[in-house]
Amino acid sequence: MRTAFTELVGVEHPLVGFNRSPAVVVEVSRAGALGVLGATMYTTEQLDARLTWMDQRLKGRPYGVDLLVPGSVGAGDAGDVPPKHRDFVERLLAAYGIPPLPADAHLDRTGRIDLSLETNTDARVVHELLEVTFEHRVALVASALGTPPPEMVARARAAGVPVAALVGTGEHARRQLSAGVDVLVAQGTEGGGHTGSVATMVLTPEVVDLAGDVPVLAAGGIATGRQLAAALALGAAGAWTGSVWLSSLEDPAAGVIKDKLLAARSTDTVVSPTRTGKPARQLRSAWLDAWGRPGAPSPLPMPWQSTLVREAWERIDLAAEAGDERARELESFFVGQVVGTFTRLRPAGEIVRDIVAGCERRLRELRELAARDLAG
């Protein structure tokens, strides 16, 4: 299937697979789609090492990098967190018997991206990550949240790398187009992670109409071939997928998280700012329920909410991995409503092939349906 997007980035299939694991990204790209690495949790040294590892295995096959690129937001500092918020978190952890971190715990989680995700929001660090990205042979760079700053677009232009940006409303799309992005990702509310309130079915054609010649990828609620076919029918040039890769064997999420995802229904997710300070869809758990009860403080804005809960999630993850059932009740993860379709863990390459084959099959069925209608 050739679309404006496949021509732009040089892939066989109009499908993007976004994941924080280099292993998933490699297998997605090897299968003919575009793997995109979520890189906001890495240091510059870690990102360079992972991109080098990917370059060696992909041997020229296209892949992309996704970063949260702030204009001026600085890193959160513990001093910016109100005492009442810290007290609330400590009381919640104590109520569930979550032990403190061991003395030898590595708070930077070097090499342990299967634990809680730390997002770099310091503008200086993120721009250094961008420089590392452009030192490698990337086919796409994406701005995960908000309009990319002019220097990011200019730097990408100089490197000949298309810029993608996620949007949740038509107004977002207008701003991104004015900023000069090359690809719009219309993410509906069904999607995991940071998301808005407009459904993919409504948002995608609206953004397509605004975009003109700029390719649009549909995102949110896409994990099967029929859903990719629906995205193409809405006028998109492909689909951006994220949650489905959590059901891949290569994804590094801990076993307790995988078990909860496989057991979840599509109604078991909730949009909440309690992890990052911005609304993000994630698996419902006792942690999210506690923040919604009377008397709970309002989540802090980004980046201070992340600063507040970072160590708490370390403690929850470590305890849950050790078999603590109370910690398991608190455990959550960013995931979209497609979690209800997860039935087993599969290789990432197999997931790509199944989505593509299912899409092609459904498009053939639609062509046959149209032909019968015309013949009648």
Side-chain angles (χ1 to χ4, degrees):
M1 289 179 284
R2 310 304 299 176
T3 70
F5 176 74
T6 64
E7 296 293 337
L8 179 67
V9 298
V11 294
E12 300 167 44
H13 310 307
L15 180 68
V16 171
F18 165 80
N19 193 268
R20 69 205 185 285
S21 166
V24 174
V25 173
V26 164
E27 293 308 312
V28 169
S29 288
R30 279 176 170 170
L34 184 73
V36 172
L37 181 68
T40 57
M41 76 290 296
Y42 293 124
T43 65
T44 54
E45 294 79 9
Q46 290 168 345
L47 180 58
D48 184 57
R50 281 152 178 79
L51 295 184
T52 298
W53 183 88
M54 291 164 54
D55 288 337
Q56 292 168 348
R57 282 150 184 80
L58 286 172
K59 302 184 186 303
R61 279 189 173 272
Y63 69 88
V65 171
D66 179 281
L67 285 165
L68 190 160
V69 187
S72 59
V73 176
D77 183 271
D80 298 314
V81 176
K84 69 175 182 179
H85 285 73
R86 286 197 293 269
D87 291 344
F88 173 81
V89 170
E90 284 303 321
R91 289 197 305 271
L92 177 57
L93 295 176
Y96 281 81
I98 306 302
L101 287 173
D104 60 350
H106 297 290
L107 296 182
D108 63 0
R109 288 176 299 284
T110 300
R112 300 182 61 190
I113 58 173
D114 55 317
L115 297 181
S116 62
L117 304 183
E118 178 177 350
T119 299
N120 285 314
T121 55
D122 184 293
R124 180 185 57 81
V125 173
V126 176
H127 284 281
E128 289 175 356
L129 292 173
L130 270 175
E131 287 304 310
V132 170
T133 297
F134 290 125
E135 291 171 2
H136 293 264
R137 298 174 57 185
V138 296
L140 182 81
V141 62
S143 176
L145 192 64
T147 305
E151 57 268 28
M152 174 184 174
V153 177
R155 183 68 178 81
R157 289 278 185 275
V161 177
V163 177
L166 276 68
V167 301
T169 67
E171 183 53 40
H172 293 165
R174 291 184 183 92
R175 290 202 296 266
Q176 301 285 17
L177 291 168
S178 296
V181 303
D182 304 289
V183 178
L184 291 175
V185 181
Q187 179 170 308
T189 191
E190 303 95 321
H194 294 119
T195 191
S197 59
V198 183
T200 305
M201 180 69 73
V202 175
L203 180 64
T204 302
E206 179 181 357
V207 174
V208 168
D209 288 345
L210 291 169
D213 294 333
V214 173
V216 175
L217 302 178
I222 300 174
T224 69
R226 285 178 294 172
Q227 289 160 340
L228 174 56
L232 296 173
L234 291 172
W240 176 289
T241 58
S243 295
V244 66
W245 310 107
L246 296 172
S247 68
S248 71
L249 291 170
E250 294 86 353
D251 179 84
V256 62
I257 292 173
K258 296 274 193 177
D259 290 344
K260 291 193 76 169
L261 293 174
L262 290 174
R265 301 162 297 179
S266 59
T267 52
D268 289 334
T269 68
V270 62
V271 176
S272 168
T274 61
R275 187 91 176 222
T276 69
K278 285 187 176 292
R281 186 174 295 281
Q282 52 212 284
L283 196 63
R284 184 171 185 173
S285 76
W287 167 274
L288 290 115
D289 290 344
W291 281 88
R293 294 192 187 109
S298 299
L300 300 168
M302 182 183 279
W304 295 284
Q305 184 69 12
S306 294
T307 299
L308 168 67
V309 305
R310 187 175 300 145
E311 183 176 323
W313 278 106
E314 282 274 6
R315 293 166 61 181
I316 293 167
D317 289 336
L318 288 171
E321 283 188 75
D324 188 322
E325 283 301 315
R326 298 304 305 281
R328 189 182 186 280
E329 294 177 40
L330 293 168
E331 189 66 273
S332 180
F333 208 75
F334 300 110
V335 70
Q337 291 177 331
V338 297
V339 69
T341 67
F342 297 174
T343 57
R344 61 187 177 92
L345 302 181
R346 298 181 290 159
E350 179 182 318
I351 294 174
V352 172
R353 290 186 288 273
D354 283 353
I355 291 175
V356 171
C359 178
E360 292 175 339
R361 183 167 55 251
R362 186 57 187 148
L363 291 177
R364 286 195 299 271
E365 292 168 350
L366 290 172
R367 283 195 296 269
E368 292 169 3
L369 180 65
R372 287 199 301 270
D373 184 62
L374 290 172

